[in-house]
Amino acid sequence: DAKTSLNERSQTLELANRAFKVAERIEDTSTMIRCLQSLLLTELALGDYHASLDLFMKLTRLAETIPRTPRLIWTAYYEVGLVFYNLGLPAAAFAMAEEALRTANEANVALLRSRSLERLALLHSAQQRYEEAIRTAEQALAEAEEIPSGRAKTSLRAHVMLRLGRYMLEAGQAQKAIGYFDHSMDLYKELKSGLYLYEAHKGKLMANLQLNDDAAADAEVATVLELFEQNRQKIIELSNRDKFFDVGQTTPTDRKS
């Protein structure tokens, strides 16, 4: 429940702070940076954006004291974009997302490039630049195809396809959206991920409604409701953790008759 989740995050903060102090005593700067990243992620999840920003500033200053290691600092740029966005600073959010992409290119890691492009696409969508969101997400999907086979590749492909479905839907291209939602469903079934399977089915339901295909929409409703009930707690927790991602905020019962 929410209390348990909050307790777990409090423990994460405590452990990361303790680990940071140990790393500081033995002058292990790389581990200090990793600890600060863990703290940043936890404060972001808790909605303390100013604390997250303070940690980012501390982290980047510390990173300047050692030889540049792109894979080490990528997470900080990737996540702080959401901090700036939630603080109402979209230009700064884009700047950090673009820096994350530059860092991923410097590291020459397809997984990091794909995730960076996916984040940029999400920011474009939030600014209602849907065509740019689609173009960038398609680039993210192409990069995901370069990742060696495994769960990480499947998970990333599924998530990018889910996002593409949503961007197509937002752009008024419901038929194309359904294709991406169907592809993401297949992958999420393989991953046994009920939470995102719910999101894909909900997206397909909305696409069918946009097409005025009542028969197809009716066929989706039962599945969406069943998945929502099965994953209710996870949906609510993820929604409370990060409003930016708009997960589960509109339930199937909100469908207009």
Side-chain angles (χ1 to χ4, degrees):
D1 56 19
K3 183 177 179 180
T4 301
S5 180
L6 182 60
N7 287 339
E8 288 174 353
R9 289 175 186 142
S10 296
Q11 290 174 6
T12 299
L13 290 172
E14 180 182 353
L15 289 172
N17 275 308
R18 286 167 56 188
F20 179 85
K21 290 176 181 177
V22 171
E24 189 175 33
R25 283 200 298 270
I26 62 175
E27 299 182 349
D28 184 347
T29 304
S30 294
T31 298
M32 291 167 66
I33 290 172
R34 293 188 180 93
C35 291
L36 291 173
Q37 287 177 342
S38 179
L39 290 166
L40 188 159
L41 286 166
T42 306
E43 294 291 7
L44 174 59
L46 292 170
D48 193 337
Y49 306 128
H50 291 287
S52 298
L53 189 55
D54 288 343
L55 287 162
F56 173 75
M57 299 302 293
K58 184 175 182 179
L59 186 158
T60 52
R61 287 195 297 269
L62 192 59
E64 291 174 355
T65 67
I66 61 174
R68 183 172 172 81
T69 310
R71 294 188 69 161
L72 178 63
I73 61 173
W74 173 83
T75 299
Y77 289 113
Y78 175 77
E79 297 295 351
V80 81
L82 290 188
V83 175
F84 282 114
Y85 188 90
N86 284 310
L87 288 172
L89 300 167
F94 271 102
M96 292 299 101
E98 288 167 351
E99 182 60 31
L101 180 58
R102 283 192 290 271
T103 304
N105 284 329
E106 189 179 352
N108 195 26
V109 178
L111 174 65
L112 303 188
R113 276 197 297 269
S114 181
R115 292 184 66 190
S116 300
L117 287 162
E118 183 191 18
R119 177 56 53 80
L120 277 167
L122 187 62
L123 290 169
H124 281 302
S125 172
Q127 295 293 299
Q128 299 183 352
R129 294 195 287 264
Y130 302 129
E131 294 303 322
E132 189 67 18
I134 291 168
R135 185 186 66 80
T136 308
E138 286 173 342
Q139 291 178 335
L141 186 58
E143 286 291 342
E145 298 295 347
E146 299 301 316
I147 300 169
S149 297
R151 188 175 178 85
K153 177 176 183 175
T154 303
S155 179
L156 186 52
R157 290 179 66 236
H159 200 63
V160 176
M161 287 182 182
L162 176 59
R163 291 289 175 203
L164 271 165
R166 295 182 69 174
Y167 304 151
M168 290 290 183
L169 187 60
E170 290 166 338
Q173 301 180 47
Q175 197 62 57
K176 289 183 178 180
I178 288 173
Y180 280 115
F181 288 133
D182 282 341
H183 284 307
S184 69
M185 284 178 206
D186 292 340
L187 294 172
Y188 281 126
K189 286 175 185 175
E190 181 182 336
L191 293 166
K192 296 181 173 59
S193 176
L195 173 59
Y196 289 108
L197 190 59
Y198 157 76
E199 280 294 303
H201 276 283
K202 186 180 75 170
K204 186 174 180 179
L205 169 60
M206 300 307 294
N208 284 321
L209 289 172
Q210 192 177 100
L211 290 169
N212 295 315
D213 189 342
D214 291 338
D218 288 340
E220 281 293 321
V221 169
T223 301
V224 173
L225 287 171
E226 181 181 359
L227 286 167
F228 180 77
E229 290 303 324
Q230 290 174 358
N231 299 278
R232 178 188 292 269
Q233 188 55 51
K234 291 180 181 178
I235 292 166
I236 293 171
E237 180 180 339
L238 192 56
S239 176
N240 288 337
R241 185 184 72 186
D242 198 340
K243 299 294 184 184
F244 181 71
F245 286 105
D246 189 30
V247 177
Q249 292 186 57
T250 303
T251 70
T253 53
D254 290 328
R255 178 190 173 196
K256 294 181 181 179
S257 59

